[in-house]
Every structure is written in structure tokens, then in C-alpha cells.
């Protein structure tokens, strides 16, 4: 057995017997620091514990001056000890006094010590203290020493948890909740509005035993629990809600794969071998994952770590004898409040009463978001300070359309909310009643309304909205939720499902638009100064043509005997498009070689979202069967205005004369060349904007399914020739925006916007 495995086992045993020896907790703590210092060959070992308000107080020391105990204190974030508590991560320094956060405390007499190793003492996900060792000689502690100290800190956490040293209520996270109503801002991750009482993600499981009495018994406990957990996940996949497949099923399948992750299992086995109980071993590895999570900026990877947390909690529960597939009973409408939550854990909540989720973390591509969206539960993410502003049982309204959560809302907010929900329901009923009516203006102009999609869960909206087809299928979404590059067969299945759902209606598949803010797990992330203008979309595809080739192959297979519409993203010049078409042609030729049925027809188009392309319209329109204007990107480049910078969100208006002139010239060029042109950016989904776009000649929109009802309603109340004349008169304006004039026009002409 390697030394770093056997050594902590001995040390753990010693500490365990100190802990079991009885007497005052303070005396045991004093002995603990002595044992650690001796065993780790450190001149100093100190334990700081967290008191109310996050203050860290020196509770015991071997090596520092005795009078510093219960005197030396650090405020949250203060000094190196505060830094360790703040980050929840170990700190390993050979020259501690040189660290910028070092604070010298004369009462400790620590000036002679150079090297410093500290680890957080974590209890139920919170920092309960900091364990420090110090040496006179400058040196960096080895990774094994860091691990040993982390393991020891778990034993100390057990002692802290007994409540003998610090009153338990001092250890719980401080809530600054005041009883006053507050509004929290966040990022809408899954749309909708919901209200209920705050329910905190079930508390972290408590570790009851840390040090193993019988290592072999703990080993088999761990193995049995792993087997049981896997079988629970299999059962979960049998859930009737998941029976029809789709990505929420895929997400859980991915998650099931994690349950078989070798690295994770090995780490837990190692921890048991080092002398921890099975439950403490799972917790120890989970703590490490959690610590890693704070260092990772990549939202995809952060979410994967949340998945592991979910599994670990499940595993500990099983080890502790709770073999039930844990259902969390809710008895009234509830809003789930959490830092992050894994997808399977979400399935544990009673869905009839779960009306919304508010998270401190979270991203649009998080697994839990995808599952919640599929279940129709609104999710608001990135709400900073959430956990300190809400208490369990308080009333919360989540409005994920505006990005707000109202905590302890005042009566008038509740009233407004009720009115909003009623109005929303009325509107939805109205749109549903108009589902079969054509999108035709009062003067007989037909407008095509396609929908945007990206995941299989979006497909049922084709029928519920009666859309004319899918004008933009963002294929990258599938890639973003898969842990590995989806194989040609998997891709083929997804594309075929979209074509099946659409029947005779067209589906425009956009090839991968990854990079920038849309990261996928299987391509190394590169830090770029300007990711939106960086190595993304077609630039990656042309540099890594295999990725594009396989995708085109899957599209051709899926569309055998049917019509295929392929669209290339972020094309900046005609030459790029030509290269894409060549690759496509090669794949078409390959079909014949392999005797596979080709599509009945292949239509090729591209996105116009990089302004340079608009100066090659004559050449471009000879190369494409259709064009799609992607205003989300096009407008950020047009105004040189980052689309994801909230500071700039209201800086420029899309109903500004230069925008309308520019878009009109593109639409006119397409009409002259008889090339169908669609607009697929968010702009087209807003009735006032859509009205202006119709005025400048646009007749085809691809918008989110929820926008189809409102836009159709506007279309059916417009007299287009009057509107076009109105626009002409305003294009020469030098105003910042002509929005107000459009809104007045709509009001004066009874247009429903
Ligand atoms: C666009 O840029 O307008 C667009 C539709 O593409 P995405 O939003 O996927 O970048
Ligand atoms: Mg785009």
C-alpha cells in the first residue's frame, strides 16, 4: 500500500481515539492539534472555527502562543485564514508572510514560521472552520500532505458538528432575510411565471460516522451502494414522463453514465482505503468536487459537477440505509430555492406542486434547465445572494419572463401577479382559438410564420402553434447537452425525428454554430478576447471539416427521400459558402457511392449575420436557394454592440432608421433575385418589430413558438400598404429610434401589438 494511504489511516485512528476519550470538547480539541502536529511533522497546528457572522476564531493551537486562543479572530475574508474560508479551498504557501492577504497578529508569535498549509473544515457544504499547519523552514507541502489534512478536517468537522464547541445556530449560514419584500434579479432559463412557498433544496446529508472501524466492511458498503444507486437510476429512466424519449431522457442517460464514472469511483475507494467510512469517503470526494466547482468558469463543466453532487447525495443516503427512491413530498405550491441542483434530484420533487425554481448558479444549457423546461417549470438562474435573502416557507413569485423573483411580495405585487397570470391565460386561450386562422393581413398579404427549435422537446410546438415549419433548427443544442460528440447515427435519429414531426412542412437545419458562448464539452475551450467574433460556427467547421462532414452525412441520411434544407451559420464572404457547398457535394456524391437513397431535393442557404456578406448580395444570391437574416448577431456587429452585455442592452434600438434601411436593402435584393428571405432573430418575434419588418418588405419570419400567436394576431389586424407608406416617410429621420411613431401608428389603426 502506498505510504500516503497507510499514513492517514494511522493518524485517523489516533484522532478517533482522542475523540472517543471523553472529557471536555475543548480538551479533546487541544489534544487533536497536538496529535496532528506530531504526525505531520509540523511546528504549528491550529484550528479556527467559524462563529456567528462568519468570524473565524482560534480555538486550539499547538505551537502558537497559548494566549492567542479565543483571542485571535479574523473577519470574513480577512487574512490567509479568512481567504481559505472564503474560497473553501486549501492554501499551500512556502512563504506565507509574502502573500498579499497575509495579516500579522503579534499575539500569536507566528513571525518565525514561513510555510503554511490550510484547509477548510467543511460541514454540510458550509465552512465550519479552518485547519492550519505551519513550519519554520520555507517549503511547499506535498499533494499527499494536503490530502491528509483534508481528510483530518472531516474528523474535526464531526467534533464541531456535536455542538459542544460552537452553538449549532452560529454555524448555519447567516440569512440576512429581513421580512421586507425584495425583488431579486436573475437570468430567465426556462420561461413562465410561478408562485409558491420557498422550499430549500433538501438539506445536505449529515455524515454520522467518519472513521472506519472495519475497512473491509466499509468497502463492501460502498460497492453495494453503488450497485443500488445504479439500479435506482435505471428505474428512474422507466418513469412514464420519459417514456417518449427526447433530450430529458438523454440527459438522464448521460447522468447515468456518470454513475459509472471510473475516476469518481476510484477516488471514493481510495478514500475508504485511507481509513474513512464509506459515507465519509463519498462526502470527502464530493467536497473536493465542490471546491473545484468554484474554480471552474466553464458553465458546462460546472453543471457536470452539480450532477456528481446529486449522485453523491443519493449514494450517501443509500449507505445510511435509506434505500427508498426518495420522493420529496410537497404539500402546497412551492418554489425550489438552491445554489445548484442536479437533474435527477429534480425528479425527486413532487411535480404537481413544484411551480418554479430559483438558483444562484445555473445556465441555459444546464441539465436541470433542460429537464425543467421539458416539464414546463419556470427557472430563474444566476440570482446572486439568493440563499441569504430567502427563508424557507416564505412566499416567492418567480417571473422568468422578466427575470425577477419577488420574495415576500407585497399584496399589490401578488395582485399584479394574479392579474398577469389571468391575462396570460386569457391571451393563450385567444391564441389557441386563432391557431387555425391564416396569417394574412387585412389587405390580403400572406405572411409565413415558421418556428425556431433546437431540441426534440420543442417539436410538439409545431402542431400546437400550427407553424409553417421550422425556419431555424439550432443543431448545436444537441451537441451542447451531450458529453461526447454525438455519433452520425445519433444525429441522424434526431434530425429524422424533426423531419417526422414536421411532415410536409420544411425544417431548416443550421449546421453547428458552436464556439463563442455556445461551448461544447468535446472541443477544448479557448480563452478569446472577443468570443462572438472569434473561432466559432463555420470557422470551426472549415478548420475541422470532419465535424461538418459527419453532420452533413447525418442530415442526408435523415432526409432520405424527403426534402432537405441546410443552412450555414456566420458566413462572412461568398468564398466561405462555396467551400461549405463543396463539402456538402462530396457528401452527396458519397451517398451515391454507398448506394444510399438521397434526399428528394436539397436546398442550400446561409445565415446573413455578418455585415460583410451584405456587400456581396449579387454573388451570394446566385449561390443560395434561400437566405435567413440572423439579427441577433447581425445587429451586434452592425452597431458594434455586444449582445450579451447588459449595460448596452438599451443603447441602440432596432427600430432605428439605419437598421431599417439596411434590412430593407437586403430584403429588396432577395426579392429582386427571387430568393426567399426569412428573418430568424429574436427581433422578428416581437409584434412591433415584426410590423416594421413587414413594412420594409419582409414576408417570412422564424420565431420562437411562443411568439407565433402574438405576431399572427398583429398580422391579421394590419393594412400593409398603409404601413409601408408610413415607413417610407420615416426612413429619412435622423432620430435615435422611430419606435414611438410605430406604436402610435398601431394604436391609431387598431393594430394588435
Ligand atoms: C442570430 O444570430 O440571429 C441567430 C438566429 O442565431 P443565434 O441566435 O443562434 O446566434
Ligand atoms: Mg447567430
Amino acid at each position: 500500500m502506498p505510504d500516503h494511504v497507510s499514513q492517514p489511516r494511522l493518524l485517523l485512528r489516533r484522532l478517533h481515539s482522542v475523540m472517543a476519550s471523553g472529557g471536555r470538547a475543548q480538551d479533546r480539541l487541544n489534544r487533536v492539534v497536538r496529535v496532528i502536529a506530531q504526525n505531520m511533522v509540523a511546528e504549528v497546528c491550529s484550528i479556527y472555527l467559524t462563529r456567528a457572522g462568519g468570524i473565524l476564531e482560534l480555538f486550539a493551537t499547538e505551537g502558537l502562543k497559548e494566549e492567542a486562543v479565543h483571542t485571535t479572530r479574523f473577519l470574513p475574508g480577512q487574512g490567509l485564514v479568512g481567504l481559505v474560508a472564503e474560497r473553501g479551498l486549501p492554501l499551500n504557501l512556502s512563504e506565507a508572510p509574502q502573500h498579499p492577504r497575509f495579516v500579522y497578529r503579534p499575539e500569536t508569535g507566528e513571525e518565525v514560521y514561513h510555510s503554511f498549509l490550510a484547509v477548510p473544515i467543511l460541514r454540510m457544504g458550509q465552512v465550519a472552520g479552518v485547519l492550519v499547519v505551519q513550519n519554520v523552514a520555507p517549503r511547499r507541502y506535498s499533494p499527499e500532505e494536503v490530502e491528509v489534512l483534508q481528510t483530518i478536517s472531516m474528523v474535526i468537522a464531526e467534533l464541531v458538528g456535536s455542538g459542544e464547541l460552537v452553538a449549532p445556530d452560529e454555524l448555519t449560514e447567516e440569512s440576512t432575510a429581513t421580512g421586507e419584500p425584495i425583488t431579486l434579479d436573475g437570468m430567465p432559463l426556462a420561461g413562465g411565471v410561478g408562485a409558491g412557498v420557498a422550499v430549500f433544496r433538501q438539506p445536505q446529508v449529515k455524515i454520522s460516522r467518519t472513521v472506519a472501524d472495519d475497512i473491509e466492511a466499509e468497502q463492501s458498503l460502498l460497492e453495494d451502494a453503488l450497485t443500488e444507486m445504479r439500479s435506482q437510476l435505471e428505474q428512474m429512466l422507466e418513469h412514464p414522463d420519459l417514456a417518449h424519449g427526447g433530450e430529458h431522457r438523454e440527459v438522464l442517460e448521460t447522468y447515468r453514465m456518470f454513475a459509472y464514472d471510473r475516476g469518481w469511483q476510484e477516488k471514493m475507494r481510495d478514500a475508504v482505503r485511507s481509513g474513512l467510512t464509506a459515507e465519509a469517503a463519498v462526502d470527502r470526494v464530493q467536497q473536493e468536487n465542490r471546491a473545484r466547482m468554484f474554480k471552474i468558469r466553464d458553465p458546462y463543466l460546472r453543471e457536470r459537477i452539480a450532477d456528481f453532487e446529486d449522485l453523491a447525495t443519493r449514494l450517501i443516503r443509500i449507505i445510511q440505509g435509506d434505500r427508498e427512491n426518495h420522493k420529496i413530498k410537497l404539500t402546497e405550491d412551492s418554489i425550489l430555492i438552491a445554489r445548484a441542483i442536479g437533474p435527477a434530484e429534480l425528479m425527486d420533487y413532487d411535480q404537481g406542486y413544484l411551480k418554479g425554481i430559483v438558483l444562484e448558479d445555473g445556465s441555459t444549457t444546464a441539465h436541470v434547465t433542460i429537464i425543467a423546461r421539458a416539464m414546463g417549470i419556470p427557472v430563474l438562474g444566476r440570482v446572486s445572494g439568493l440563499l441569504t435573502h430567502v427563508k424557507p416557507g416564505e412566499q416567492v413569485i418567480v417571473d422568468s419572463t422578466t427575470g425577477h423573483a419577488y420574495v415576500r411580495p407585497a399584496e399589490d405585487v401578488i395582485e399584479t401577479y394574479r392579474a398577469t397570470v389571468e391575462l396570460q391565460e386569457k391571451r393563450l386561450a385567444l391564441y389557441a382559438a386563432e391557431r387555425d386562422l391564416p396569417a394574412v393581413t387585412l389587405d390580403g398579404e400572406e405572411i409565413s410564420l415558421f418556428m425556431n427549435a433546437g431540441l426534440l422537446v420543442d417539436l410538439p410546438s409545431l402542431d400546437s402553434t400550427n407553424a409553417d415549419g421550422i425556419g431555424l433548427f439550432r443543431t448545436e443544442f444537441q451537441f451542447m447537452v451531450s458529453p461526447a460528440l454525438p455519433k452520425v447515427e445519433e444525429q441522424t435519429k434526431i434530425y429524422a425525428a424533426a423531419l417526422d414531426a414536421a411532415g410536409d412542412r420544411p425544417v431548416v437545419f443550421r449546421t453547428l454554430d458552436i464556439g463563442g458562448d455556445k461551448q461544447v464539452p468535446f472541443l477544448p475551450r479557448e480563452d478569446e478576447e472577443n468570443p462572438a467574433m472569434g473561432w466559432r460556427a463555420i470557422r470551426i467547421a472549415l478548420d475541422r471539416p470532419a465535424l461538418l462532414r459527419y453532420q452533413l452525412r447525418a442530415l442526408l441520411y435523415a432526409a432520405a427521400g424527403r426534402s432537405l434544407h441546410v443552412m450555414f451559420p456566420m458566413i462572412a464572404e461568398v468564398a466561405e459558402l462555396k467551400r461549405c457547398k463543396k463539402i456538402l457535394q462530396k457528401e452527396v456524391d458519397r451517398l451515391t457511392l454507398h448506394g444510399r437513397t438521397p434526399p428528394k431535393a436539397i436546398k442550400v442557404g446561409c445565415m446573413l449575420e455578418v455585415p460583410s456578406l451584405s456587400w456581396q448580395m449579387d454573388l451570394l444570391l446566385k449561390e443560395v436557394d434561400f437566405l435567413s437574416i440572423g439579427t441577433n448577431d447581425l445587429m451586434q456587429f452592425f452597431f458594434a454592440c455586444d449582445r450579451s452585455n447588459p449595460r448596452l442592452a438599451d443603447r441602440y434600438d432596432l427600430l432605428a432608421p439605419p437598421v431599417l434601411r439596411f434590412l430593407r436593402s437586403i430584403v429588396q435584393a432577395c426579392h429582386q433575385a427571387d430568393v426567399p428571405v426569412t428573418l430568424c432573430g429574436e427581433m422578428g418575434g416581437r409584434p412591433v418589430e415584426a410590423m416594421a419588418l413587414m413594412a420594409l418588405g419582409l414576408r417570412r419570419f422564424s420565431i420562437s413558438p411562443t411568439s407565433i400567436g402574438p405576431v399572427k394576431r398583429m398580422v391579421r389586424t394590419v393594412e400593409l400598404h398603409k404601413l409601408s407608406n408610413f415607413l417610407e416617410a420615416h426612413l429619412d429621420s435622423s432620430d435615435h429610434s422611430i419606435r414611438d411613431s410605430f406604436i402610435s401608428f398601431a394604436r391609431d389603426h387598431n393594430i394588435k401589438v
Side-chain angles (χ1 to χ4, degrees), residues 472 474 510 513 518 607 609 630-633 643 680-681:
L472 167 64
R474 290 178 162 109
R510 180 175 74 182
D513 181 10
K518 298 179 194 164
M607 299 275 293
E609 49 187 345
T631 43
N632 302 344
D633 274 311
R643 83 191 228 192
C680 63

Side-chain angles (χ1 to χ4, degrees), residues 362-421:
S363 72
T364 43
T365 54
H367 282 167
V368 64
T369 310
I370 292 163
I371 299 272
R373 208 182 286 142
M375 292 175 165
I377 302 169
V379 184
L380 188 68
R382 310 268 177 94
V383 179
S384 59
L386 171 69
L387 299 175
T388 57
H389 286 112
V390 192
K391 278 193 202 139
E394 289 182 329
Q395 191 70 30
V396 178
I397 295 175
V398 187
D399 185 345
S400 181
T401 49
T402 59
H404 299 308
Y406 303 96
V407 182
R408 302 174 291 276
E411 199 47 46
D412 55 342
V413 175
I414 297 178
E415 272 312 308
T416 317
Y417 156 76
R418 277 201 202 108
T420 310
V421 170

